[in-house]
Amino acid sequence: MKHSMTGSAGDRQAAHVVLGVHFGHDANAAILIDGRIVADVAEERFTRCKHSHDVPFNAVEYCLAAAGIGIDAVDEIALGGLRQNHGLRALFGIAHPGPNDPQAALPPLVTPSYHRRFFPARTPRVTFVEHHLAHAATAYFTVRESGRVLIATVDGTGDGASTCLWRGENGRIEPLVKLDENASLGWFYSNVTEAIGLWHGDGEGTTMGLAPYGDPSRCRGALDGHYPVFSRGALETPAAFKGRYTHLALKSAYHWHSEEAMKLTPLVERYGKPDIAAEAQRILEEQVMEFVLPWLEREGTRTLATAGGVFLNVKLNQRLWMSGCIDRHHPYPNPGDSSLGLGAALWAAADQGVAIEPIRDLYHGPAYGNDEIEALLKARSLPYRRSDDIAGDVAEYLAEDRVVAWLEGRMESGPRALGHRSILVSPGRAEHKDIVNSKVKFREAFRPFCPSILSEAKDELLMKPRDERYMITSFDCAPSWRDRLPAVVHVDGTLRPQTVEREIEPLYWRLIDEFRKRTGLPAVLNTSLNIKGEPMICHPREAIRCFYDSGIDVLAMGDLILTK
Ligand SMILES: [Fe+2]
């Protein structure tokens, strides 16, 4: 089924439209037109519940609006996972038993009448894409690589698998290795996270941030027997994780719980959180390396692409990059389950022979214009001023050590703020880290912050530098810069940068460059615009609320500026 899309009557062409949806935690939707990502957003950004597993009505509504089409213009619905038929029934009204059990009873129709707005008049093609294949698709199809690529997908679990390798070549993805939940390094790391007292499925980044404060040699071996062991590219000793998980649904988000975490709790009490975190980080890095690296040689490639929640771990990504085995490294920047709808759509489009356009940025969410923002401010009788040089004005505030909230253009997909929904402050003073943690984000004092740096400065600031647009890999900071950027260099001398290229991000590049002219620092501290426990802010209304409910000094949205 092909549909006429945009263009003049003379050159009107059939467009191929795929709507990708993932039902589950971090529910999301994405839309692809002729192989180009038009929109990609997680439901949490609208419901304001982090990791929301709600049926993604809002995400689908936004994707269709961004594409300027209705549901009947969709050629194919691609689902990120094999057990998605209940969601398919609820959101689209489509009765499908699902691929796992064709004999199973069809899911009942439970959707209230007012939520049936995406029921298509005619059922489009429906494709179920296995969880890890959808992950692999995000890693492979979003980059342009002509040669062979080794793709690693590692997470907690999805469709019964946790740890997979794939060969990407000639626009196709072929499976190499698929391991079940007893190989799950994701669950191991999450078990430790739960034992430390953090949310399994959310707090893993905090465990990683805590690790450099510990010393793994003080508890070396303490976690033995609690993780799967790999040797030369294969699983040597499985863990016993399968079927030993439960979860509690709170505020529309899953809080996972494992029996294993209970066994680890006494070890945390004995050795302390930092040392256990450090040992868990050491194990994660070493085991992933032991699994993945031998396959690069076996596959005869030095190009690695990765996805799955484990590859949110920027220190692991750094370790892989520094291994000496990789020339080209593509950690997909939104590697968790909040990109499964996109991954399913990418795979489905490629499978139909559609050429996929690689990404150049991650700005696939909603944008709001000056008029809309101004109307919001007027309705609330809030004082503001219009700037004719927003980048220069904000750079001036940053040079004066003010904390600025910056909402410009389309929202980022994925968990990292990349200069569209950011809180910014000068990286030149160590106390800024404490100020943002305590008065703005309301989170733990040890949590590190990351810089956005001018691409032109990367060779000076980073060891073994490369452009890294997405804050998905950490780098060692050049020794001469460690003292000059104290708010963004972590205790272990690393930083996790976003390199900002002028041609990709002209406004944000100019902001940092204006800050450099005033201070000599080619970087700003950039953290996501939200407070602890919230998803990243999407709408200006939420930014206003966050501004007045935190220690942020300045709010810049579009060309408009609010101050306290
Ligand atoms: Fe996953």
Side-chain angles (χ1 to χ4, degrees):
M1 194 159 90
K2 300 285 172 189
H3 302 272
S4 286
M5 293 295 297
T6 53
S8 66
D11 65 357
R12 203 167 270 256
Q13 290 182 340
H16 182 263
V17 182
V18 188
L19 179 63
V21 182
H22 168 64
F23 301 99
H25 71 89
D26 294 295
N28 55 86
I31 197 158
L32 221 64
I33 299 184
D34 288 336
R36 188 173 67 84
I37 301 170
V38 173
D40 172 21
V41 67
E43 186 69 6
E44 63 163 26
R45 303 294 163 89
F46 302 103
T47 62
R48 310 307 305 149
C49 171
K50 207 174 178 191
H51 305 301
S52 173
H53 64 73
D54 281 355
V55 173
F57 286 104
N58 298 287
V60 165
E61 183 170 43
Y62 168 68
C63 285
L64 293 172
I69 58 173
I71 188 67
D72 287 313
V74 171
D75 295 292
E76 181 165 0
I77 293 172
L79 301 161
L82 301 180
R83 298 181 188 92
Q84 305 267 297
N85 56 342
H86 284 265
L88 181 71
R89 184 74 161 138
L91 207 157
F92 301 110
I94 296 172
H96 195 302
N100 277 353
D101 185 4
Q103 304 304 319
L106 293 171
L109 184 57
V110 295
T111 313
S113 56
Y114 48 85
H115 269 321
R116 297 188 182 190
R117 57 196 195 276
F118 305 116
F119 283 22
R122 225 172 91 187
T123 302
R125 182 186 168 95
V126 174
T127 307
F128 293 75
V129 182
E130 196 180 347
H131 186 107
H132 276 258
L133 182 55
H135 276 318
T138 61
Y140 181 61
F141 291 118
T142 54
V143 297
R144 194 178 299 289
E145 282 292 348
S146 52
R148 182 179 286 187
V149 178
L150 180 69
I151 309 163
T153 60
V154 183
D155 66 5
T157 180
D159 286 334
S162 71
T163 311
C164 302
L165 291 172
W166 314 78
R167 176 189 299 155
E169 196 165 39
N170 300 322
R172 297 191 62 80
I173 298 174
E174 304 291 342
L176 296 170
V177 181
K178 183 166 144 185
L179 300 172
D180 71 9
E181 288 137 329
N182 285 336
S184 181
L185 289 164
W187 269 357
F188 156 67
Y189 203 82
S190 296
N191 293 341
V192 172
T193 298
E194 183 185 342
I196 283 174
L198 300 164
W199 180 358
H200 172 146
D202 178 78
E204 289 77 9
T206 308
T207 303
M208 181 184 70
L210 189 58
Y213 291 91
D215 179 354
S217 70
R218 287 197 290 254
C219 60
R220 183 122 187 168
L223 298 174
D224 287 3
H226 297 284
Y227 60 90
V229 179
F230 291 82
S231 175
R232 280 177 265 160
L235 178 64
E236 192 175 70
T237 312
F241 293 158
K242 216 169 170 177
R244 297 168 69 198
Y245 273 76
T246 53
H247 70 263
L248 190 65
L250 294 175
K251 270 179 73 186
S252 169
Y254 292 141
H255 290 245
W256 301 93
H257 161 66
S258 77
E259 292 171 28
E260 276 293 307
M262 304 309 288
K263 294 183 196 161
L264 299 176
T265 306
L267 298 172
V268 173
E269 284 165 5
R270 180 167 165 198
Y271 294 103
K273 294 177 183 180
D275 284 352
I276 288 291
E279 175 69 348
Q281 182 67 28
R282 178 191 72 81
I283 290 165
L284 180 77
E285 290 175 16
E286 289 179 4
Q287 293 304 318
V288 172
M289 303 263 285
E290 190 65 34
F291 174 57
V292 171
L293 296 185
W295 281 90
L296 286 164
E297 201 176 325
R298 249 171 254 179
E299 285 292 295
T301 183
R302 292 176 63 82
T303 304
L304 177 69
T306 58
V310 164
F311 292 106
L312 275 167
N313 193 301
V314 299
K315 300 299 288 293
L316 166 65
N317 294 337
Q318 178 181 11
R319 190 85 185 270
L320 287 163
W321 173 237
M322 297 300 287
S323 67
C325 303
I326 298 168
D327 293 331
R328 296 171 64 78
H329 188 197
H330 302 294
Y332 184 65
N334 181 17
D337 288 1
S338 65
S339 61
L340 285 174
L342 174 66
L346 290 166
W347 188 87
D351 193 53
Q352 295 287 306
V354 175
I356 307 292
E357 203 177 297
I359 56 167
R360 66 199 296 273
D361 61 54
L362 268 198
Y363 308 118
H364 299 140
Y368 304 90
N370 276 327
D371 291 347
E372 203 172 345
I373 296 167
E374 193 161 24
L376 280 171
L377 298 175
K378 282 185 172 159
R380 287 155 181 76
S381 303
L382 293 171
Y384 63 91
R385 71 180 173 92
R386 187 177 283 269
S387 167
D388 55 14
D389 177 16
I390 191 78
D393 285 351
V394 167
E396 190 65 36
Y397 285 122
L398 295 176
E400 293 167 0
D401 293 323
R402 311 281 288 275
V403 181
V404 181
W406 168 261
L407 186 151
E408 301 289 338
R410 295 187 72 180
M411 183 187 66
E412 299 86 342
S413 301
R416 302 279 92 85
L418 301 169
H420 283 204
R421 298 290 186 280
S422 292
I423 294 170
L424 309 174
V425 69
S426 166
R429 296 168 70 116
E431 62 266 34
H432 284 173
K433 187 180 127 178
D434 302 330
I435 288 170
V436 179
N437 267 332
S438 65
K439 294 187 181 167
V440 179
K441 304 278 279 198
F442 307 114
R443 61 183 208 177
E444 303 87 343
F446 65 85
R447 296 284 293 274
F449 287 108
C450 308
S452 298
I453 69 174
L454 296 177
S455 172
E456 292 81 351
K458 66 178 181 294
D459 293 343
E460 204 183 329
L461 267 59
L462 309 178
M463 310 298 283
K464 203 182 175 197
R466 69 172 193 225
D467 269 315
E468 173 47 77
R469 293 175 191 159
Y470 308 113
M471 286 188 171
I472 192 67
T473 303
S474 58
F475 294 77
D476 288 333
C477 181
S480 60
W481 277 91
R482 283 181 194 171
D483 293 340
R484 297 185 68 189
L485 301 170
V488 293
V489 178
H490 203 17
V491 64
D492 57 0
T494 63
L495 44 74
R496 184 186 71 187
Q498 172 196 9
T499 57
V500 181
E501 292 153 79
R502 188 177 200 166
E503 57 280 13
I504 306 265
E505 261 306 271
L507 180 68
Y508 193 42
W509 185 94
R510 215 176 86 70
L511 159 63
I512 305 169
D513 194 51
E514 289 295 320
F515 179 73
R516 178 195 61 78
K517 287 177 191 165
R518 288 163 173 80
T519 62
L521 303 177
V524 296
L525 182 156
N526 169 14
T527 184
S528 55
L529 178 50
N530 61 348
I531 59 174
K532 186 187 172 192
E534 283 185 350
M536 190 191 293
I537 276 167
C538 177
H539 196 281
R541 188 192 316 112
E542 295 140 18
I544 293 167
R545 204 177 291 151
C546 181
F547 175 58
Y548 286 109
D549 193 30
S550 72
I552 296 170
D553 300 312
V554 178
L555 172 58
M557 298 192 287
D559 292 330
L560 309 176
I561 294 179
L562 289 81
T563 53
K564 287 176 185 162

